[in-house]
Amino acid sequence: MSERTSTLVYLIMAGASLAIALWKGMALFRDPTPTLSLITTNFLCSTAIYVMAAPSVYVAIGEATGNPSFATLPVYIGILVCFAHLHVLTLLWSPMQQTSPDALRRRVTQWAACYTMAALLMIATFCAADLSEPADPLKFNTDNAGDPVILLFLAVFLSTLTCSTLSTFRQCRRIRLDDPRLQHAVRSFGIAMLFVFGYVVCGVPAIAFAALGSHALDEVGVWGSSFGVLGTLIASYGLCGAAVSAWLKERRDIRALQPLWDIVVAGVDPELAFSATSARSHRLAANVTFNLHRRVIEILDGMRALRPWVRSEPVEAVYTLHERSLQGDNGPGRPVPERELRAMATAAALRDAAERLQAAQREDALRGGSRRPQPPDTPARQLLGEDTPAADERDRLLHVARVLTHPLVTAALREVRGGGIATARRARKAS
């Protein structure tokens, strides 16, 4: 990898790390937790490392300090700080039933002491070395391997990095989480540690040969940095993959709820919306979680506003037509699961209630009245699923939104408009 290519790659990685750090920082501001704090500071540290490690910046730092290799020290210590963060993260991810708080605290303290000791040894050995010669940012390890003090510096660095990556990989292998997305993220995180360990696998032979006077493997050591970049990319996915998946799912859910929102909010009373931008909130990239929660609340408010206009006929029509399909002349149809059937009955009742309200609004407007007509003088009907726990409302509304235009719902409304359900009800009473 040439210096120009390395500079470009490292600066791109720095930009990506900074973007993730800002994203996680906003999440930390909303929900301050130890894990989010570690993730945010890890990406901030990673940003600084990639900027300083970019060959052009590396050379500029050397010229500014009078020590051509000076940037190596903060970069290598920064790498250990990053992996210390990641190591502690995996310890915090472990289920509490496997590790008591006191044991966890002791382990974190012990590892923190090890990383601190390694950093102090690296500072002492680096400062004791004579590094006045011009430096190649990509070949510092092999160019200076002949100096016993730098060799000790590299031995401390690579030994600590080895212990960190392999211990983190082992910890990731032991973690078992209930959420499959988080478990997948942890597994990816463990794989990233193996890629980073590839940097050690490439660097150690190159340094050993260079210390013995042979530079035949210098390029192998240079290519070891590619493993570090790949490992960082995979680790970033491990730290952000589950959050990105959840963000994308929330965006999809907002779009999926839009037809239901149009019926029970925009079609009933626009003042039920939180703001004038509610109808366009699914287009926003920021505050997706807030927009989704707002959308659910607005829909529930709209459903409550429609309750006086709800009648039982659409619900009966859905169940009646479903029973007919199971007893049809062409053989029994496929039964609809009860959960889906309840969603269809709710969708039919809401569509019917919205149509009745809008018809009353039009009639009232023709008479010169307000757009808030009096509801029918009949007892309010309770919608199916109104006793759903708050944590399950989003899922229930998504089911209702997906079946708004289902053929069974459309047929049930057609049956209600044609008076078929009322006729059947009178026939049952007469018999």
Side-chain angles (χ1 to χ4, degrees):
M1 191 183 297
S2 66
E3 286 192 17
R4 181 176 298 178
T5 303
S6 296
T7 298
L8 179 61
V9 171
Y10 279 35
L11 291 180
I12 290 174
M13 293 294 295
S17 295
L18 180 60
I20 297 173
L22 294 175
W23 175 36
K24 292 296 183 180
M26 289 190 294
L28 176 64
F29 181 77
R30 294 192 302 268
D31 182 24
T33 62
T35 53
L36 276 175
S37 299
L38 287 169
I39 292 173
T40 303
T41 54
N42 170 73
F43 278 108
L44 287 174
C45 184
S46 178
T47 301
I49 290 169
Y50 277 112
V51 170
M52 291 187 292
S56 298
V57 179
Y58 184 101
V59 171
I61 292 174
E63 293 174 352
T65 60
N67 182 341
S69 301
F70 179 81
T72 300
L73 181 61
V75 166
Y76 281 17
I77 290 180
I79 290 173
L80 291 187
V81 170
C82 280
F83 280 95
H85 278 73
L86 301 181
H87 192 177
V88 173
L89 265 176
T90 58
L91 296 176
L92 295 179
W93 283 340
S94 299
M96 294 305 295
Q97 64 267 23
Q98 296 181 7
T99 307
S100 67
D102 290 339
L104 177 61
R105 193 178 299 109
R106 284 195 299 271
R107 291 184 66 185
V108 171
T109 302
Q110 290 167 358
W111 278 106
C114 291
Y115 286 118
T116 302
M117 184 62 67
L120 292 175
L121 284 172
M122 289 171 64
I123 293 172
T125 52
F126 189 89
C127 293
D130 180 12
L131 296 171
S132 57
E133 297 295 325
D136 183 342
L138 300 178
K139 295 184 178 180
F140 172 86
N141 294 354
T142 51
D143 285 349
N144 297 280
D147 186 337
V149 179
I150 291 298
L151 196 60
L152 179 59
F153 167 83
L154 294 174
V156 173
F157 170 65
L158 294 175
S159 299
T160 308
L161 187 61
T162 298
C163 292
S164 177
T165 53
L166 294 184
S167 296
T168 305
F169 169 74
R170 179 173 173 269
Q171 188 70 23
C172 288
R173 296 273 294 178
R174 296 172 57 188
I175 294 175
R176 294 292 181 269
L177 301 176
D178 295 332
D179 190 328
R181 290 180 303 167
L182 292 177
Q183 186 63 46
H184 176 71
V186 170
R187 190 181 304 114
S188 301
F189 195 66
I191 294 172
M193 296 302 105
L194 291 183
F195 272 88
V196 175
F197 181 62
Y199 170 80
V200 178
V201 173
C202 292
V204 169
I207 293 170
F209 270 69
L212 295 174
S214 172
H215 291 272
L217 297 181
D218 282 10
E219 290 301 322
V220 175
V222 172
W223 276 101
S225 61
S226 300
F227 283 96
V229 172
L230 287 173
T232 302
L233 287 172
I234 299 172
S236 299
Y237 168 76
L239 291 172
C240 304
V244 170
S245 297
W247 181 83
L248 292 173
K249 186 177 187 305
E250 288 175 345
R251 292 266 298 174
R252 290 193 298 269
D253 288 352
I254 291 175
R255 288 193 292 268
L257 289 171
Q258 186 67 36
L260 182 58
W261 188 92
D262 292 337
I263 290 175
V264 304
V265 178
V268 173
D269 186 356
E271 292 184 6
L272 291 169
F274 179 78
S275 68
T277 63
S278 287
R280 302 190 303 274
S281 64
H282 64 287
R283 301 175 187 172
L284 300 178
N287 295 327
V288 173
T289 301
F290 170 77
N291 288 326
L292 177 58
H293 290 168
R294 184 179 74 180
R295 180 58 45 89
V296 170
I297 293 170
E298 290 171 349
I299 289 173
L300 292 174
D301 287 344
M303 291 168 66
R304 279 189 288 271
L306 272 178
R307 186 184 295 168
W309 300 87
V310 171
R311 53 181 175 172
S312 60
E313 283 86 345
V315 176
E316 294 177 18
V318 169
Y319 281 94
T320 299
L321 292 176
H322 178 249
E323 290 175 3
R324 289 179 189 172
S325 68
L326 297 180
Q327 302 169 1
D329 297 335
N330 298 326
R334 179 178 299 176
V336 177
E338 178 61 26
R339 185 181 188 184
E340 296 297 321
L341 201 58
R342 287 170 64 88
M344 291 178 190
T346 303
L350 290 173
R351 285 182 58 183
D352 176 72
E355 290 173 3
R356 296 178 69 204
L357 172 59
Q358 290 163 5
Q361 287 174 339
R362 288 192 295 269
E363 292 178 6
D364 201 50
L366 290 174
R367 292 195 299 267
S370 67
R371 288 184 54 83
R372 296 181 183 276
Q374 288 294 322
D377 189 17
T378 56
R381 301 283 182 178
Q382 186 175 10
L383 286 166
L384 294 175
E386 286 194 348
D387 56 348
T388 302
D392 299 329
E393 282 287 16
R394 169 182 166 187
D395 191 51
R396 177 176 77 97
L397 297 181
L398 283 168
H399 275 78
V400 174
R402 292 187 183 111
V403 298
L404 280 172
T405 57
H406 191 278
L408 185 58
V409 174
T410 304
L413 292 174
R414 192 183 306 117
E415 184 87 0
V416 170
R417 294 180 193 125
I421 291 299
T423 301
R425 182 184 292 174
R426 286 194 297 268
R428 285 197 300 269
K429 287 182 178 180
S431 61

